[in-house]
Amino acid sequence: MRILFLTHSFNSLTQRLFVALRGCGHQVSVELDIADSVSEEAVALFKPDLIVAPFLKRAIPASIWQRHVCLVVHPGIVGDRGPSALDWAIINRESEWGVTVLQANAEMDAGDIWAQASFPMRIGKKSSLYRNEVTAAAARAVLETVEKFAIGKRPLRLAEAVEARGILRPLLQQMQRCIDWQRDDSAAILSKINSADSFPGVLDSLFDMPCHLYDAHPATSAAVAAVAGAPGEIIARRDHAVLRRTSDGGVWIGHARPVQTADDAGKPFKLPVADWFAVQVAQLPELPAALMRPVDEWGELRYWEEGAVGFLSFDFYNGAMSTGQCQRLRAAVQLAKQRPTRVLVLLGGEDFFSNGLHLNRIEATAHRPSESAADESWNNINAMDDLALEILTATDHLTVSALRGNAGAGGAFLALAADIVWAHENVLLNPHYKNMGNLYGSEYWTYLLPQRVGTGAARGLMQNRHPLAASDAVRMGLIDAAFGHDAHAFSTEAGIRAVALAQSHDFDARLATKRVRREQDEAAKPLHSYREEELVKMHRNFYGFDPSYHVARYHFVHKMPHAWTPRHLAVHRNNFLRETNPSP
Ligand code: COA
């Protein structure tokens, strides 16, 4: 079938449906929701059999839904309506939630029902639930709908849906998320912040400045007991976060977005708390988290061992890795390499393995008089390369990248620096850089990528800029295995596989082969040559006359609305161009 996506952005859920439907053999084209006339033009050009709206912020124009079957993916149970479906589910502490596929009509979220899929709720950020449970359920429901549509089935009227228990709920307002630091306990505060993470954040204040709060984690009683303070008081710091007392304990708050910057220099965006409030945070007592520590003690980096396997997790918010975070992670890898273990598993974060350079922190330097975004980009990419090199040169261990979440751009290539790459079945990879203003990329990708997939496929991946399902990545040799239907099942299985790898009868032979191969590769072309060649191009991206990367980063960080749909997604526009400008 020809399936057109009408979507606000090509976000993770849209990408997941894109790869799933293409995987079933459908022809999928994408039009970003820019204006009704543009959507109408896309429909006229593509002539779709079916239109899917995976993520829309506005209604589909009547001129389209009256003539075509349009499926709306709603992140709520049957009967649920309104723009804050997941937010309410978190605030109301629902035990089960779901996704419904509706046929668009004149009323928002009130169309006939094609399919629904449910999932148990867990405590977590809205964005984490969206990227995991909601996305997996949406894929199930959309595939079921497309099959039903193909064989001529009809949707169910809402009135006929016996299981409908959802209701129409309004937009969740800041007032309903408002934190009462004197009365709310930690669980209530966490659910308020989780319900608004990643957007819009909870409106509160830090150091007397009105701010939106994000990235909250429960604090242990040991951490809270270490420093005295009254509810609401900010009492300590760790990594880039601050510890704030609640009525029954404390929460770590990692990120903030002030309502207005002090000097009013442009629109504020999300940054670590310690970046916005460097002076105030520096005065707080530091409560560092040891690298090897119990799981409930929050911190970005954690290392633990099971038998001869070392596990290193790096839970960086949104998978973005700043210069300092790369340096700290590299030091942790160095330490792990010195341990008497055989296998080192790099776990990334719970939601993302890595998304490469920390674009928000780079963008922040562009707004500080004595700093430069080009310099910070340069420092960041060098720190990423140092980290990748540390992994590549781990010749006393077999290394595994275990992707519990998606990986994009430099983060996808960082994963390839390990000997073995595993991912769970719903992981999406975006192994390309060009979307960020034509970045050339580094992280030794010119060494790592062709080695895994061959030169032709490497070029295709870089140029097509499409997301890749984990199963497709296995098929083309980019990664080694995909297993586990979710991050939890995957983590358990990855642990078992890693222990088995460390105990395997041919472990020594595999390690010896790895060393020989590295030596041969080094003799053929040293790693530093790959790096230098990549960095020459990156230097041009950062410091050259073409500002595309700086412009793209600005747009990305400031979440500027799209002005057009990129050609690699809008297949219908390419066909149109070919038809109107046939090659001679
Ligand atoms: N630096 C800073 N923030 C990043 C980031 C990065 N490298 N990558 C993602 N984020 C943030 C997004 O701004 C977004 O923030 P929010 O919490 O305010 O919504 C959040 O992470 C999720 O990103 P989003 O784009 O919504 O996720 P997605 O799953 O739909 O898409 C990617 C994933 C990787 C395709 C997309 O995030 C992306 O293109 N990131 C940039 C990658 C890059 O170019 N890195 C630099 C070169 S190495």
Side-chain angles (χ1 to χ4, degrees):
M1 271 193 276
R2 295 163 71 79
I3 302 178
L4 179 68
F5 280 8
L6 283 183
T7 185
H8 175 75
S9 73
F10 196 53
N11 70 346
S12 53
L13 189 147
T14 311
Q15 293 182 22
R16 182 84 192 86
L17 300 181
F18 179 84
V19 298
L21 290 170
R22 277 170 43 121
C24 294
H26 301 296
Q27 201 186 338
V28 185
S29 194
V30 181
E31 186 68 47
L32 301 180
D33 179 29
I34 289 155
D36 288 356
S37 59
V38 180
S39 301
E40 285 162 359
E41 186 184 61
V43 173
L45 287 172
F46 194 54
K47 300 181 181 58
D49 300 306
L50 200 53
I51 295 173
V52 178
F55 169 48
L56 270 189
K57 293 193 173 178
R58 310 180 315 138
I60 299 173
S63 57
I64 295 180
W65 64 256
Q66 282 171 347
R67 285 191 214 122
H68 298 264
V69 173
C70 297
L71 305 172
V72 175
V73 180
H74 177 69
I77 53 175
V78 175
D80 179 85
R81 294 175 58 196
S84 304
L86 255 185
D87 310 44
W88 281 113
I90 296 171
I91 285 280
N92 293 338
R93 305 200 197 172
E94 300 280 355
S95 57
E96 194 177 86
W97 201 239
V99 171
T100 311
V101 177
L102 310 148
Q103 182 158 337
N105 66 11
E107 249 186 302
M108 244 349 204
D109 305 330
D112 294 349
I113 296 157
W114 278 93
Q116 68 89 34
S118 54
F119 54 85
M121 283 286 275
R122 75 183 149 89
I123 295 177
K125 295 198 296 268
K126 175 173 66 168
S127 56
S128 176
L129 286 160
Y130 184 82
R131 253 177 227 114
N132 291 286
E133 284 85 346
V134 170
T135 297
R140 291 200 301 277
V142 167
L143 290 182
E144 183 187 323
T145 303
V146 170
E147 275 173 30
K148 282 182 179 167
F149 178 80
I151 57 171
K153 279 199 175 174
R154 300 290 313 144
L156 205 63
R157 305 275 297 274
L158 181 57
E160 298 160 8
V162 280
E163 76 273 40
R165 66 177 176 91
I167 56 167
L168 170 65
R169 290 184 199 275
L171 182 75
L172 189 62
Q173 305 285 350
Q174 285 295 348
M175 237 173 55
Q176 285 140 325
R177 304 188 216 253
C178 181
I179 298 173
D180 181 340
W181 289 97
Q182 308 306 313
R183 290 196 187 168
D184 284 351
D185 61 15
S186 302
I189 293 170
L190 285 167
S191 94
K192 285 177 180 177
I193 299 180
N194 279 339
S195 78
D197 205 341
S198 65
F199 181 82
V202 169
L203 183 57
D204 196 84
S205 66
L206 288 172
F207 306 103
D208 297 326
M209 186 191 266
C211 274
H212 294 90
L213 308 183
Y214 310 86
D215 185 20
H217 307 267
T220 57
S221 46
V224 175
V227 191
E233 213 174 302
I234 298 170
I235 57 172
R237 67 186 160 101
R238 171 178 297 168
D239 295 339
H240 55 266
V242 291
L243 174 57
R244 193 159 182 185
R245 285 295 306 258
T246 63
S247 67
D248 67 340
V251 291
W252 293 100
I253 297 170
H255 279 70
R257 177 171 58 88
V259 172
Q260 256 187 341
T261 45
D263 52 4
D264 213 10
K267 198 173 139 221
F269 48 89
K270 210 184 279 182
L271 279 177
V273 173
D275 282 18
W276 282 121
F277 303 100
V279 176
Q280 298 92 323
V281 172
Q283 286 161 11
L284 295 168
E286 189 180 5
L287 289 183
L291 194 56
M292 291 173 93
R293 63 174 191 281
V295 64
D296 61 345
E297 190 63 68
W298 175 79
E300 287 183 328
L301 303 178
R302 194 167 86 86
Y303 176 80
W304 68 99
E305 290 174 0
E306 280 170 39
V309 183
F311 294 88
L312 180 58
S313 67
F314 36 104
D315 212 350
F316 300 130
Y317 186 70
N318 282 340
M321 294 170 56
S322 69
T323 306
Q325 284 165 322
C326 291
Q327 289 165 344
R328 284 202 301 280
L329 178 53
R330 182 186 172 207
V333 172
Q334 281 171 338
L335 198 134
K337 281 166 68 174
Q338 283 156 23
R339 299 285 302 167
T341 48
R342 298 177 133 207
V343 172
L344 172 59
V345 182
L346 303 165
L347 283 167
E350 282 186 15
D351 286 331
F352 291 103
F353 180 81
S354 168
N355 279 330
L357 303 185
H358 200 311
L359 298 169
N360 286 39
R361 296 187 85 177
I362 292 171
E363 183 60 26
T365 62
H367 301 271
R368 294 186 198 123
S370 57
E371 295 180 50
S372 128
D375 288 351
E376 187 44 35
S377 305
W378 183 249
N379 294 340
N380 202 163
I381 195 65
N382 274 286
M384 277 293 278
D385 283 356
D386 291 343
L387 170 61
L389 185 63
E390 201 63 59
I391 300 164
L392 273 163
T393 54
T395 44
D396 292 335
H397 287 78
L398 285 184
T399 52
V400 180
S401 288
L403 277 62
R404 298 180 288 173
N406 299 346
F413 295 103
L414 181 71
L416 304 189
D419 305 315
I420 300 166
V421 187
W422 298 330
H424 83 67
E425 287 158 6
N426 285 318
V427 156
L428 281 173
L429 293 144
N430 274 287
H432 45 80
Y433 299 91
K434 278 181 183 288
N435 284 349
M436 198 50 62
N438 238 355
L439 265 192
Y440 184 77
S442 192
E443 291 96 3
Y444 300 89
W445 76 265
T446 52
Y447 169 61
L448 295 165
L449 188 60
Q451 205 177 48
R452 279 191 164 260
V453 301
T455 321
R459 198 177 309 120
L461 275 176
M462 283 296 193
Q463 276 166 6
N464 292 339
R465 300 189 254 163
H466 282 158
L468 213 55
S471 53
D472 294 330
V474 174
R475 218 163 291 129
M476 67 188 300
L478 183 71
I479 68 171
D480 300 284
F483 50 85
H485 59 277
D486 62 18
H488 181 72
F490 169 74
S491 300
T492 309
E493 168 88 23
I496 294 167
R497 289 191 187 209
V499 171
L501 178 65
Q503 291 170 349
S504 58
H505 66 279
D506 62 346
F507 179 85
D508 291 335
R510 288 183 77 163
L511 195 60
T513 309
K514 168 181 174 172
R515 286 185 184 135
V516 170
R517 184 168 174 199
R518 181 80 285 285
E519 278 165 22
Q520 286 171 345
D521 285 356
E522 191 66 18
K525 179 171 174 178
L527 283 174
H528 73 80
S529 300
Y530 288 99
R531 178 171 173 161
E532 277 160 24
E533 287 166 14
E534 290 166 5
L535 286 181
V536 166
K537 306 256 183 32
M538 286 296 258
H539 195 274
R540 209 170 294 151
N541 287 142
F542 299 154
Y543 294 96
F545 64 87
D546 177 357
S548 299
Y549 154 72
H550 296 287
V551 173
R553 189 197 61 239
Y554 178 88
H555 283 214
F556 180 82
V557 172
H558 288 90
K559 305 196 185 301
M560 307 291 279
H562 296 280
W564 67 87
T565 307
R567 285 279 143 80
H568 65 281
L569 299 176
V571 176
H572 50 283
R573 298 201 179 272
N574 293 339
N575 293 345
F576 172 72
L577 277 183
R578 260 198 298 281
E579 279 158 24
T580 48
N581 300 306
S583 43

